[in-house]
Each structure stands twice: as structure tokens, then as C-alpha cells.
Amino acid sequence: MAQSVDNLVLVINTASPESVQVAQYYALKRGVAPERILRLQMEQTEQITRAVYERQIERPIGAWFTERGLHDRILY
């Protein structure tokens, strides 16, 4: 089976103008539906602690998957 944009989630760091710009360009060029875009505000540092990762990235992404029932559909 061929993969499509229905199999991805595009995660954007809204605290980074560059992340927003690249994501908007990618979404436009690849036809990513708005419901497949997850906007998170994350720290803009080279490294983060495990606690920050869990709070700002892992938990919000996990909640997003659960709310939409997409655990078995998102591959990228």
C-alpha cells in the first residue's frame, strides 16, 4: 500500500519562526490537511531535559494521537 499525507503528522514549533515557515511551505507543497498539523510551543535550545521533552513534546503528541484515534495510521 502506498503511503500518503494521511499517514503523517506535521509538528510545528510555534516558538520558532523558522519552524513555522518551513512547515507552512511543506504543508502547501505536499497538501497536508490542517487536521494533520500539530502546533506545539517548545523551547528553542540545542538540548532539553527529559522532563521538558516529556512535558512539551511527548505528552502533547500522545494526547493528540489519542484524541484523534490515529495511533495505527500515523507513520511519519
Side-chain angles (χ1 to χ4, degrees), residues 43-72:
E43 293 187 17
Q44 293 189 71
T45 59
E46 289 284 325
Q47 298 179 352
I48 59 173
T49 66
R50 179 68 182 187
V52 170
Y53 166 78
E54 289 173 354
R55 184 178 65 251
Q56 293 184 356
I57 300 170
E58 183 178 13
R59 287 183 198 144
I61 290 175
W64 187 90
F65 274 67
T66 300
E67 290 168 5
R68 289 159 180 78
L70 295 173
H71 286 91
D72 62 341

Side-chain angles (χ1 to χ4, degrees), residues 11-31:
V11 180
I12 302 173
N13 180 1
T14 59
S16 166
E18 294 86 2
S19 176
V20 173
Q21 183 179 17
V22 169
Q24 288 174 337
Y25 177 83
Y26 182 88
L28 179 67
K29 292 295 182 180
R30 299 291 184 190

